Amino acid sequence: MIEFSPVISAAISMAVCWGLGYIVIPYLHKLKFGQTILDIGPKWHLNKQGTPTMGGVMIFGGVVFGVLFALCYSAFADSRLVAEFAVRGKLLRFLAGIALAVGMGLIGFLDDYIKVVKKRNLGLTAKQKTFAQFLVAAVYLAALYFSGMHTTWLPFLGEVSVVSGLGLVFWPISLFFIYGFTNAVNLTDGIDGLASTVTMIVSCLFMFISGFMGNIGYNTLAAAFAGACAGFLLWNAHPAKVFMGDTGSMFLGGAVVAFSFGVGKPILLIFAGMLYLIEALSVILQVISVTKFGKRLFKMAPIHHHFELSGWNEGKIVFVFSLFTFGGCLIALLPVIFNW
């Protein structure tokens, strides 16, 4: 029987996220929740001064309604989604994934609130944000353990124990993995439509992988995020009428990490999310180069700004970076399809 829960989830999520734009954007304008553009960025970004931020609440709304509608459909249609949650640990792992995304999103929301409402442009301090993110990540990993996740998948090796011997290093590595990728997605959100387009592609990959594996819960969840990104993109494509802010980018960051752990193959995110890693690495290398040698490696970091200052327009950057992400997703897909 065809499982319609992911289709419903994606369609409702996209429609709700798009529809919320007609309500949320004017409200953000009314509250004067506009983005403050720093002088250190490309000069033409000053034209975006005052564009509403915190639009990530639209993505959040889309995902919530998409998943709820899918669950309601599954309950009434007696589909595999609700039945799957009867399997030991499946429901806890599903809820933990949602909690990780929401937890990171709430940290982002607080950061945005301080920037916009309290007029402190840097938001939370680095220590505050780092502590909160590690705390959310640690609780998530504890939930995974209690859900029965005692192995992880590695290409060519199959399932490897993470509760004995060398496998125990999985947990501290995962803590930094979650922290790193969440912030890398946050750094990718710097030009119109980039983070939403790239994350839509990554969500579609995990939607396909989870469907291929018969994991209907994460198939439905990834579909909701893919749909929400598509709906948000209708408002966020250049010229953007709203920015997602840290509220949205950290919500999406937590989500893509949750997808990878939810299907039991977090290592795949290294390939699918290679663009995120490059964005983060460009910032790290720039800081090291300037601090140690007094020279810039890039005209500006993250690297999408380097290409901007090199003459690429925002549309070209989004297209090329999305194409690169698509290639990374294809690489991530190969070991799953061919069972390597």
Side-chain angles (χ1 to χ4, degrees):
M1 185 177 72
I2 298 176
E3 179 60 59
F4 286 104
S5 297
V7 178
I8 292 171
S9 179
I12 295 297
S13 183
M14 178 178 176
V16 170
C17 186
W18 170 72
L20 281 174
Y22 288 101
I23 302 170
V24 172
I25 295 174
Y27 188 67
L28 292 175
H29 271 297
K30 183 179 179 180
L31 294 176
K32 294 182 171 30
F33 280 12
Q35 179 72 41
T36 300
I37 306 298
L38 299 177
D39 291 335
I40 60 174
K43 298 304 179 186
W44 51 90
H45 278 208
L46 293 174
N47 296 330
K48 302 180 182 185
Q49 182 82 18
T51 301
T53 189
M54 298 177 75
V57 296
M58 296 159 55
I59 301 175
F60 179 83
V63 169
V64 168
F65 276 95
V67 172
L68 286 178
F69 268 80
L71 288 172
C72 290
Y73 162 79
S74 182
F76 284 108
D78 196 26
S79 76
R80 286 186 293 159
L81 175 58
V82 171
E84 182 180 88
F85 294 149
V87 179
R88 181 181 177 275
K90 288 278 189 177
L91 178 59
L92 178 56
R93 195 174 302 185
F94 177 78
L95 293 176
I98 295 175
L100 176 63
V102 171
M104 293 299 184
L106 287 175
I107 296 170
F109 178 84
L110 183 58
D111 196 38
D112 282 336
Y113 182 83
I114 293 172
K115 289 176 185 175
V116 176
V117 179
K118 299 298 183 181
K119 305 302 180 184
R120 280 170 42 195
N121 199 53
L122 295 179
L124 291 169
T125 66
K127 287 184 179 180
Q128 289 170 335
K129 188 181 290 188
T130 298
F131 174 79
Q133 288 176 324
F134 271 115
L135 179 62
V136 170
V139 172
Y140 171 69
L141 289 173
L144 289 186
Y145 175 81
F146 288 113
S147 75
M149 182 178 171
H150 297 162
T151 63
T152 191
W153 175 87
L154 295 175
F156 305 109
L157 295 177
E159 295 295 326
V160 178
S161 172
V162 296
V163 293
S164 62
L166 285 175
L168 290 171
V169 301
F170 169 81
W171 302 104
I173 290 175
S174 295
L175 197 64
F176 285 95
F177 184 90
I178 294 169
Y179 172 79
F181 261 106
T182 301
N183 285 289
V185 176
N186 181 232
L187 289 171
T188 304
D189 180 35
I191 60 175
D192 298 354
L194 181 58
S196 45
T197 304
V198 168
T199 306
M200 179 177 66
I201 295 170
V202 174
S203 298
C204 284
L205 168 76
F206 283 105
M207 180 177 66
F208 183 89
I209 290 175
S210 54
F212 185 80
M213 296 174 60
N215 188 330
I216 306 304
Y218 272 91
N219 189 216
T220 301
L221 188 59
F225 274 91
C229 285
F232 187 74
L233 193 56
L234 296 173
W235 296 102
N236 186 235
H238 185 72
K241 297 176 179 62
V242 66
F243 299 139
M244 66 174 67
D246 285 3
T247 304
S249 60
M250 291 183 65
F251 183 51
L252 295 181
V256 296
V257 171
F259 300 156
S260 66
F261 280 90
V263 299
K265 304 178 188 297
I267 196 170
L268 293 181
L269 188 57
I270 293 175
F271 303 101
M274 198 172 294
L275 179 72
Y276 300 140
L277 291 178
I278 291 172
E279 291 274 15
L281 188 60
S282 69
V283 174
I284 295 170
L285 292 176
Q286 183 86 318
V287 170
I288 293 174
S289 182
V290 171
T291 303
K292 299 294 184 182
F293 308 107
K295 294 183 179 180
R296 293 174 179 264
L297 282 177
F298 309 100
K299 294 182 179 180
M300 186 176 176
I303 200 168
H304 54 257
H305 288 316
H306 170 82
F307 285 102
E308 263 195 296
L309 294 172
S310 297
W312 289 26
N313 61 47
E314 293 188 46
K316 182 177 180 179
I317 294 171
V318 171
F319 176 77
V320 173
F321 282 28
S322 298
L323 199 61
F324 179 84
T325 299
F326 184 75
C329 287
L330 288 180
I331 294 172
L333 198 56
L334 291 177
V336 177
I337 292 177
F338 294 104
N339 197 28
W340 291 347

